[in-house]
Amino acid sequence: MKRALTPKDVAAKKWVTLPWGERWSAPFGYPADNASWFIRGASASGKSSFVMQLGKELCNYGTVLYLSYEEGVNQSFQRRMGYLKMNEVQGRFRVSVGETYEEVVERLKRPKSPKFVIVDSIQRTEWDYKQFEGLVEKFPKKCFVFVSMEYKGQPMGKPAMRVMYLADMKVRVVGYKAYCQGRSTGDAGAYFVVWEEGIIQTSNKL
């Protein structure tokens, strides 16, 4: 049986946190570099652009693997990479399409495998909850970013609902704004601007 931790033991624990600037720290604080993320949003909310921007930022702290199950590498995915200038992180950002769960595990077991792994989306992988949980448990030093579709304002499907509770960082993208709803938050009321012009257009329609 493992020894139970005392308050002193808990207080002494230390984490390596993401040392990013105010644009990211204001809405999201300084999460551990191995914290798991759950990002959800409706279609046309700015979710995909936010995920790509997060991936680009994470390239400053390690290599990023984008598992593109929902879009593959279609025209819109290519355009998104273009206008977000993902060529600036050439060598630190990789995209993989159609890998099975077993292939993902084997890839992540390799020496110098990516530190950050984006899974887009939960629904299109067709994995069950135990597989998502298994990734986090098998690779505790890595950061997993799980992306979810929404249905009527909620994560779509039972596996996604359970993964949301598994994650440390819970983010919802609405109207081109990304709000942190997780255990590590930044300034009260702060949000990440995904696309400023989109926010103006949405506000005008309202």
Side-chain angles (χ1 to χ4, degrees):
M1 182 181 295
K2 292 183 179 179
R3 182 178 70 85
L5 299 177
T6 67
K8 185 177 180 180
D9 294 330
V10 174
K13 292 180 78 68
K14 298 192 181 298
W15 285 266
V16 177
T17 58
L18 296 174
W20 48 21
E22 186 177 0
R23 186 184 180 211
W24 291 92
S25 65
F28 307 118
Y30 296 94
D33 68 353
N34 66 337
S36 53
W37 290 64
F38 180 89
I39 300 170
R40 65 186 175 106
S43 178
S45 64
K47 176 186 64 183
S48 296
S49 290
F50 171 71
V51 171
M52 189 72 76
Q53 289 179 63
L54 175 63
K56 186 176 182 181
E57 175 65 23
L58 292 176
C59 284
N60 292 317
Y61 318 110
T63 54
V64 175
L65 173 65
Y66 196 120
L67 298 172
S68 185
Y69 291 97
E70 186 170 331
E71 293 184 279
V73 181
N74 61 14
Q75 193 175 27
S76 63
F77 191 91
Q78 183 188 58
R79 277 200 304 268
R80 194 176 307 120
M81 289 194 67
Y83 70 70
L84 292 175
K85 300 180 181 178
M86 298 303 289
N87 62 302
E88 295 176 347
V89 290
Q90 179 76 20
R92 287 168 283 162
F93 186 88
R94 292 286 186 270
V95 180
S96 182
V97 177
E99 290 195 6
T100 66
Y101 180 81
E102 291 73 21
E103 287 171 335
V104 171
V105 170
E106 285 304 309
R107 179 188 287 274
L108 298 181
K109 284 180 179 177
R110 297 174 188 169
K112 299 182 180 181
S113 62
K115 166 70 176 176
F116 303 97
V117 183
I118 300 170
V119 182
D120 186 7
S121 63
I122 289 172
Q123 290 76 14
R124 293 301 293 270
T125 64
E126 298 186 354
W127 301 344
D128 60 32
Y129 171 74
K130 283 295 183 184
Q131 289 173 302
F132 291 107
E133 184 182 51
L135 283 179
V136 176
E137 291 178 350
K138 285 183 177 76
F139 305 102
K141 294 184 179 180
K142 296 186 184 297
C143 166
F144 290 93
V145 178
F146 300 115
V147 184
S148 175
M149 302 176 188
E150 275 192 355
Y151 178 69
K152 294 184 177 179
Q154 295 298 322
M156 185 186 296
K158 289 183 179 180
M161 287 291 290
R162 295 186 69 185
V163 172
M164 180 174 68
Y165 288 104
L166 172 70
D168 302 296
M169 302 293 293
K170 300 172 179 63
V171 178
R172 189 178 186 211
V173 183
V174 183
Y176 306 104
K177 301 175 184 178
Y179 297 90
C180 187
Q181 301 173 326
R183 299 164 190 160
S184 174
T185 57
D187 301 336
Y191 56 83
F192 182 92
V193 175
V194 179
W195 182 36
E196 190 168 357
E197 185 179 338
I199 293 174
I200 294 171
Q201 291 177 3
T202 304
S203 301
N204 288 342
K205 287 179 182 177
L206 293 175

